[in-house]
């Protein structure tokens, strides 16, 4: 009798916003900062409106990404890394923990049980990704990396925002460093923007997919997992569209923060 072949250990790469977590991590981070008077509710609403335009008018062109990048840099320039990590931990516990999708978390936990390495891959700051990864017992996080000097953010990025094709590059680098064959690896995302990452692995799954990704997944017989009800999907859409609005409005917030400090 032939013995069953042992499952190949692999890596699983999870997008964060709307894939592992309901809504957008940066939106909730911004809400937590607003509650702590780092900026005003008006700033938060401005961020939200900017992101509604960013998402609904389409619009992930190079200019949009460049604008978001510059806004993100203005937002964190001069902040101490230890403060960002502390605030990330507090705000995750207050606002994000209850918004983790139970279904996606169960998939991640099964990968861990199977001996796989499980990584978050997010455009959010890597410090926020690392906090969420630790809280969920995952291997680690790949995220946007900002330059740090003497424990303070300089306002410059190390490389590019971890978005779109940059995610595929990061996944390939991690798989090579860990010694995994991408054909044996898994990737999970809700967004058509993550097609490069999803297409790079042998086992892609569309989770809570947007319309374009759902169509793409069906055409290629990819697995689709949707943990939303119709009611929940409607609720999720609003905070999800706010995330890059936080970035797009961050210059104003950064100025407001500096003005308060002064």
């Amino acid at each position: 009798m032939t013995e069953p072949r042992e499952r190949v250990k692999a890596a699983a790469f999870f997008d964060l916003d709307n894939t592992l977590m309901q809504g957008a991590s940066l939106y909730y981070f911004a809400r937590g900062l607003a509650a702590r008077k780092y900026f005003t509710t008006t700033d938060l609403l401005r961020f939200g409106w900017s992101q509604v335009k960013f998402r609904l008018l389409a619009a992930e062109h190079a200019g949009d990404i460049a604008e978001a990048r510059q806004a993100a840099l203005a937002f964190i320039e001069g902040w101490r890394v230890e403060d960002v990590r502390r605030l990330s931990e507090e705000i995750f516990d207050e606002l994000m923990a209850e918004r983790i999708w139970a279904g996606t978390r169960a998939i991640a936990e099964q990968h861990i049980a199977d001996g796989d390495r499980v990584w978050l891959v997010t455009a959010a700051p890597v410090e926020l990704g690392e906090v969420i990864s630790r809280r969920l017992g995952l291997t680690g996080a790949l995220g946007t990396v900002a330059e740090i000097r003497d424990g303070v953010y300089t306002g410059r990025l190390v490389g590019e925002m971890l978005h779109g094709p940059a995610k595929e590059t990061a996944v390939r680098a991690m798989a090579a460093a860990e010694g995994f064959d991408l054909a044996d690896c898994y990737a999970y995302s809700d967004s058509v923007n993550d097609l490069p990452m999803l297409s790079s692995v042998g086992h892609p799954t569309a989770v809570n997919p947007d319309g374009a990704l759902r169509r793409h997944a069906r055409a290629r017989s990819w697995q689709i997992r949707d943990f939303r009800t119709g009611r929940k999907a409607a609720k999720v859409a609003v905070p999800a569209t706010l995330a890059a609005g936080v970035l797009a409005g961050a210059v104003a917030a950064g100025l407001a923060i500096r003005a308060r400090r002064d």
Side-chain angles (χ1 to χ4, degrees), residues 83-103:
D83 292 335
V84 171
R85 288 176 176 152
R86 173 181 54 80
L87 289 165
S88 295
E89 291 173 351
E90 293 177 6
I91 294 168
F92 175 81
D93 293 340
E94 291 173 10
L95 297 176
M96 301 182 196
E98 66 182 8
R99 293 177 169 86
I100 298 298
W101 290 110

Side-chain angles (χ1 to χ4, degrees), residues 12-247:
F13 301 97
F14 285 78
D15 172 56
L16 176 57
D17 297 344
N18 271 341
T19 302
L20 186 57
M21 192 181 88
Q22 176 182 331
S25 55
L26 280 178
Y27 168 72
Y28 293 114
F29 186 63
R31 272 185 54 184
L33 292 178
R36 289 163 172 79
K37 310 302 183 185
Y38 280 87
F39 52 84
T40 68
T41 301
T42 300
D43 292 328
L44 186 62
L45 292 174
R46 185 183 303 117
F47 304 164
W49 175 240
S50 296
Q51 174 61 354
V52 167
K53 292 189 292 182
F54 184 91
R55 291 282 295 236
L56 299 185
L57 301 181
E60 293 209 13
H61 301 302
D64 297 316
I65 299 303
E67 181 181 353
R69 170 181 169 169
Q70 290 305 117
L73 294 178
F75 179 58
I76 64 172
E77 183 178 1
W79 283 55
R80 293 188 60 80
V81 177
E82 63 185 45
D83 292 335
V84 171
R85 288 176 176 152
R86 173 181 54 80
L87 289 165
S88 295
E89 291 173 351
E90 293 177 6
I91 294 168
F92 175 81
D93 293 340
E94 291 173 10
L95 297 176
M96 301 182 196
E98 66 182 8
R99 293 177 169 86
I100 298 298
W101 290 110
T104 313
R105 183 172 187 174
I107 294 171
E109 289 175 343
Q110 185 59 57
H111 278 292
I112 294 290
D114 289 339
D116 295 335
R117 308 275 284 175
V118 178
W119 294 87
L120 289 184
V121 187
T122 175
V126 67
E127 290 81 8
L128 178 58
E130 288 171 345
V131 165
I132 296 171
S133 175
R134 285 197 302 273
R135 288 292 199 263
L136 299 180
L138 309 183
T139 305
L142 306 175
T144 298
V145 178
E147 184 181 71
I148 299 166
R149 183 173 298 164
D150 298 325
V152 175
Y153 293 106
T154 66
R156 293 185 291 273
L157 285 185
V158 177
E160 298 297 322
M161 286 184 67
L162 204 64
H163 172 89
K167 286 189 177 182
E168 179 192 7
T169 300
V171 161
R172 288 189 179 278
M174 179 57 67
E178 296 277 333
F180 292 120
D181 185 340
L182 280 175
D184 298 323
C185 291
Y186 300 76
Y188 301 85
S189 179
D190 72 296
S191 174
V192 72
N193 294 312
D194 287 339
L195 275 179
M197 178 178 75
L198 291 167
S199 300
S200 71
V201 301
H203 305 283
T205 298
V207 178
N208 306 327
D210 59 32
L213 179 58
R214 185 181 293 274
R215 290 189 294 273
H216 189 97
R218 283 176 173 167
R220 286 155 181 78
S221 299
W222 289 358
Q223 188 175 18
I224 299 173
R225 304 293 300 273
D226 201 326
F227 302 113
R228 303 166 297 183
T229 63
R231 185 178 181 83
K232 278 187 178 178
K235 288 181 180 179
V236 167
V238 175
T241 59
L242 296 178
V246 173
L247 295 176

